[in-house]
Amino acid sequence: MSSPDAPCYTVVTEDNSEIPSTQDLRNALQKGTDEVKLDTLRKIIVSTINGNPQPTLLMPVIQYVMPSRNKALKKMLHFYWEVCPKYDETGKLRQEMILVVNAIRNDLQHPNEYIRGSTLRFLQKISKEQELLEPLIPTCRSCLEHRHSYVRRNAVFAVYTIYREFEHLIPDAPELIETFLAAESDATCKRNAFVFLANCAMPRAVQYIVSVLDQIPSMDELLQMSIIEVIRLDCKGETSHKPRYIMLISELLNATSNPVKYDAATTLTSLTQNPAAVKAAAACYISLVSKESDNNAKIIVLDRLDALRSRHGHVLDTMIMDILQLVASSDLEVRRKALSIVLSLTSSRNVEEVVLFLKKQLQRTQDQEFEKAPEYRQLLIQTIHVCAVKFSEVAATVVHALMDFLGDSNNPSALDVVAFVREVVEKFPHLRKTICEKLIQTLSEIKSGKVYRGVLWILGEYAESAPEVKEIFLQLRKVLGEIPILASEQRLLDESAPEKGEKEEVKGESTKPRVLADGTYATETAFTSVSSARLEAVKAAAKPPLRTLLLGGDFFTGSVLSSSMTKLVLRFIELSDDARKSNALRAEAMLIMASIIRVGQSKFVTVPIDEDSTDRIMNCIQTLSELESKPVVHEIFLKDTKAAYTKMITAQEKKAAEKKESEKTTEVAVQVDDLLTFRQFSKKAVDDLVDDAADVTRATGADDLTEDFISNLSRISQLTGFSDPIYAEAYVKIHGFDILLDVLLVNQTANTLQNLCLDFATLGDLKLVERPSVYTIAPHSFQSIKATIKVSSTETGVIFGSILWEGPGMSEQCVILNDIHIDIMDYIKSAYCTEAQFRSMWTEFEWENRVNVTTTMSEPREYLRHVMKATNMSCLTPEGAISGDCDFLSANMYARSLFGEDALANLSIERTDANIVGHVRIRSKTQGIALSLGDRITMAQKENKPPV
């Protein structure tokens, strides 16, 4: 088991409560029933796997277990032969194994076909034991001619494993299996034989394909998939059969088996880029998605279709309506993926058809029985949004249809519509008039405060005529109700009061006994006056939508309403020469604003008005009251806010264009000694061949390992001192979810250190995979020990341990190791999310860590870059929002761990005369990542420059 080529077994948990002695096990094998022998043999196997082979029990097993005819015992015996010690101390085969080989030969000739097949499967597991296999070769060959297919199929794989390891034992195996394949009728046997030829004699496999080319479409599914795999491998090199292969693969696109169709479509696009072949492969993918019931399989096929689209988008344009039919799936992820592909294929030629289909789907989501209607509606609105902004010719046709959903009870859908309308009204000035008219009509249908804020901002910025301003104020009075709000609410309360002379009743309600602080019991009686009940009734009465929001405590919406009315009044004064009407409109706006403040300070609201909203509304009132003296403020209201939004849209478009450009131009590093490629002599490029072996290599990260001597030195941790008997240092290597420790031990004494054990323990979500073995180190010698530790979450972990060995007189000696701290930054990568996703996660996550800013830096943006560099987080706040000269800075940051954990951060800082003050708030779903990132920022703050 110590050799590097030794087989690897699963470590089975051993019950340490009762470990029978070797004699007890021998007696159980000798005198027990078949059930007792089965249990005893299982214990021996577990003990052997866990490092206690017990070679003295080999002969009793041969004597008392091997002759049994019990099928379960015979199966367990195969497991024992697999793990038992077969060689003595000198490396020679044990004499007892001759009896074992004889028994295996008898089982290979057994009349029961299942015993034969099971024994042949067992031979595949001991394929590295040449001395055991050699006497069994003739019997194994004879099983290829057995009457039962179960025996033959296992015999083929037994020959395959033996030939792969020891070719000289069956030198004629390829000819033997080729003859077997030609005469075989069973589908699984033929498939196994073909796999043998594909792996051991590729020319013979190709020759077989060519000989049965016309019969392949009617063959078994397993054999068809093996044939497709061989075609893929054969086409990696030069082959004259490529045209025939393409014809065959095209036929297999119509096979009855879905896996065969998928493999055939994937292979066809790697053999040719003929438009007809690409269309056929895409049609096959679409058919698979529509017929397959497993959503995971659908997403995999859609990913392949998306990859095909990225290379041959112009060919698939005509199939866009077929892809649109895939949104009929009930799974939201499948719909999202299909709509993403459709968006990529949408062009000015087909955009009208696409949008018409999406609008029909949008109408269907209003049906109460439609599955996952709110989420699907939101997805459709987002898709239509992208189409309309990308293709201006359809914006006019969809914007009015989408505005019908502003009153949607599903808040995210309505917010998406507002974002869409806001962008359309900015980009397409000719649509502003009709959009504003529609928004004015829908004011009474809106239910959400966020939607109201968006609509009010749009109306305040883009209502450009005097009649529109008048109409907006008229509709606002309807959705606000009677003004002043406080006076009307008080009148309703007074009207419900009892008449004079009637005494106001007081209701008394008793509750169950309560336990007081000193442990005694008391009865609590609650008195409720009728007046408070009337107040609650007034609050609960039906009211217009905007009035309901204000009385419910949404004064942010009230401040946005005030700002929008101020813009409308200022614009009306610019547009109209009628001073009387302008003055009346100004007075009405100021009355509404004052009414909002007064009712916010009364008992009729759920939550009192906050100071920020009060200040903002008062600023608007002041602006309207001082029209002539503050023209600069007019400029801010009428032009600056719109200019800021325009700047934000431009920045978003620029960022999207840069991202698209970066996807197109991939930087390829070329070495100075690479071969030159002449384009004129190269073949026409086709899609990449599907190479499963290369995929596995990429998935395990084996091709990404680049060793850098300097970075390796920075990862070395000293574990002991130079004056200790043993010097130890560890090279800590992070690879995916594993931490690899390569520990170097140096015996600094003149004595041999025996039974030396390196013992590790972990703190945090770290788990030691295996305990290192015991070693003996010669005087002044070296020993390298490797240990693997699994990481299960993004949390600062600590590895600590000790070195134990036997000193003089069998006394135990010990050296305690320095702790190894695992850097959380190795598992956190910068990522991006939308503002809506950030806000949703910020509300949802419960763990928050607040870090106060203490730094000598004086520039806020420099400190932001410093924190981003230290935490590997990306800034979500647009560059335009944090540019310019300002003493305040607020930015949102986001990162994602390898384990799928989200980390959010909000930086709010202010520049003072001396330095920067403020705080960083970190939120995450788990406590560990929030605390670890906070510690990281605290450590980074102590430096004036970002950590390298």
Side-chain angles (χ1 to χ4, degrees), residues 58 109 127 357 371 379 395 416 503 530 570 640 645 657 690 885 926:
L58 179 58
Q109 296 173 336
S127 59
F357 178 88
E371 190 176 359
L379 183 60
D416 285 335
K503 191 175 180 181
V530 176
L570 293 174
D640 287 3
Y645 180 66
V690 178
D885 188 18
T926 57

Side-chain angles (χ1 to χ4, degrees), residues 11 31 73 108 241-242 280 292 299 338 358 375 454 506 517 545 661-662 672 747 803 870 906:
V11 178
K31 300 175 182 177
L73 203 53
L108 288 174
H241 304 300
K242 194 170 183 179
E292 181 60 48
I299 291 173
L358 294 175
E375 296 89 345
V506 177
E661 192 64 30
S662 65
V672 293
N747 181 1
I803 303 175
N906 172 259

Side-chain angles (χ1 to χ4, degrees), residues 765 793-795 824 828 837-838 840-849 873 894-897 899-905 921-933:
D765 283 340
S793 74
T794 312
E795 189 174 332
I824 186 179
I828 291 183
Q837 291 171 333
F838 183 91
S840 173
M841 288 188 287
W842 187 267
T843 308
E844 177 189 348
F845 291 172
E846 55 188 18
W847 290 105
E848 178 173 315
N849 187 13
M873 300 186 93
Y894 176 67
R896 193 173 177 84
S897 75
F899 308 95
E901 299 166 316
D902 298 297
L904 313 176
R921 295 167 65 193
I922 305 160
R923 284 197 183 183
S924 66
K925 189 171 281 188
T926 57
Q927 183 184 18
I929 191 170
L931 293 176
S932 300
L933 277 174

Side-chain angles (χ1 to χ4, degrees), residues 278-315:
V278 172
K279 279 188 178 181
C284 182
Y285 286 143
I286 294 169
S287 170
L288 284 171
V289 175
S290 59
K291 292 178 181 177
E292 181 60 48
S293 58
D294 184 6
N295 289 327
N296 291 324
K298 287 184 177 184
I299 291 173
I300 290 170
V301 177
L302 282 171
D303 281 336
R304 186 64 69 179
L305 182 61
D306 193 25
L308 195 65
R309 188 268 319 156
S310 65
R311 296 189 182 95
H312 309 284
H314 60 288
V315 179

Side-chain angles (χ1 to χ4, degrees), residues 347-641:
S347 63
S348 55
R349 295 191 302 274
N350 53 32
V351 64
E352 291 184 4
E353 296 176 2
V354 171
V355 169
L356 183 62
F357 178 88
L358 294 175
K359 284 167 68 177
K360 288 180 180 177
Q361 290 290 310
L362 201 57
Q363 294 299 325
R364 287 183 59 200
T365 60
Q366 294 181 298
D367 187 356
Q368 295 292 330
E369 298 178 359
F370 197 87
E371 190 176 359
K372 295 181 180 177
E375 296 89 345
Y376 185 37
R377 186 183 308 133
Q378 186 180 359
L379 183 60
L380 288 170
I381 289 170
Q382 291 169 354
T383 308
I384 293 174
H385 179 174
V386 175
C387 283
V389 171
K390 201 173 176 183
F391 304 98
S392 57
E393 61 266 26
V394 297
T397 62
V398 297
V399 68
H400 295 289
L402 286 187
M403 281 195 285
D404 293 336
F405 293 93
L406 282 172
D408 193 355
S409 56
N410 181 36
N411 198 28
S413 298
L415 286 174
D416 285 335
V417 173
V418 168
F420 164 65
V421 172
R422 189 169 56 197
E423 193 168 346
V424 168
V425 83
E426 166 62 28
K427 288 189 173 182
F428 308 114
H430 63 281
L431 297 176
R432 288 176 184 173
K433 183 176 175 58
T434 55
I435 289 175
C436 287
E437 289 174 358
K438 180 70 175 176
L439 286 177
I440 294 168
Q441 294 170 11
T442 56
L443 277 174
S444 59
E445 300 169 7
I446 300 171
K447 303 178 182 67
S448 164
K450 288 184 178 180
V451 178
Y452 256 121
R453 293 197 288 271
V455 171
L456 289 171
W457 185 88
I458 294 170
L459 291 175
E461 293 292 348
Y462 298 102
E464 296 171 341
S465 65
E468 281 181 342
V469 175
K470 285 183 178 180
E471 183 64 26
I472 291 170
F473 268 87
L474 187 64
Q475 289 298 323
L476 286 176
R477 289 297 294 264
K478 289 181 181 178
V479 294
L480 280 170
E482 189 179 346
I483 300 294
I485 302 173
L486 179 60
S488 60
E489 293 293 314
Q490 185 63 48
R491 192 178 71 252
L492 285 175
L493 182 62
D494 294 342
E495 287 174 356
S496 63
E499 295 181 6
K500 289 182 179 179
E502 291 184 19
K503 191 175 180 181
E504 189 174 290
E505 296 180 7
V506 177
K507 293 181 181 178
E509 296 181 359
S510 296
T511 63
K512 58 184 180 180
R514 297 175 63 87
V515 181
L516 301 180
D518 59 356
T520 59
Y521 291 91
T523 302
E524 183 183 72
T525 304
F527 293 94
T528 307
S529 69
V530 176
S531 60
S532 63
R534 288 202 311 272
L535 179 61
E536 293 300 321
V538 170
K539 286 183 180 180
K543 296 179 177 66
L546 191 52
R547 189 190 193 99
T548 304
L549 290 171
L550 293 173
L551 293 175
D554 188 358
F555 291 103
F556 182 29
T557 301
S559 64
V560 174
L561 171 65
S562 302
S563 176
S564 297
M565 286 192 299
T566 305
K567 294 174 188 175
L568 291 170
V569 170
L570 293 174
R571 190 170 292 115
F572 185 83
I573 292 171
E574 287 184 355
L575 296 171
S576 174
D577 297 329
D578 192 338
R580 186 169 172 274
K581 288 183 179 179
S582 299
N583 197 42
L585 204 65
R586 177 169 60 160
E588 184 178 1
M590 293 172 70
L591 175 64
I592 293 173
M593 294 179 204
S595 177
I596 293 171
I597 294 177
R598 288 201 63 199
V599 79
Q601 297 167 343
S602 71
K603 61 184 177 181
F604 292 100
V605 293
T606 310
V607 181
I609 189 169
D610 56 285
E611 291 184 13
D612 288 344
S613 298
T614 304
D615 290 346
R616 193 174 181 197
I617 296 173
M618 287 302 297
N619 285 337
C620 293
I621 294 174
Q622 187 178 2
T623 301
L624 293 179
S625 64
E626 302 172 355
L627 281 178
E628 306 301 329
S629 59
K630 298 284 181 68
V632 178
V633 179
H634 303 180
E635 194 83 10
I636 294 172
F637 272 103
L638 293 178
K639 295 182 180 178
D640 287 3
T641 51

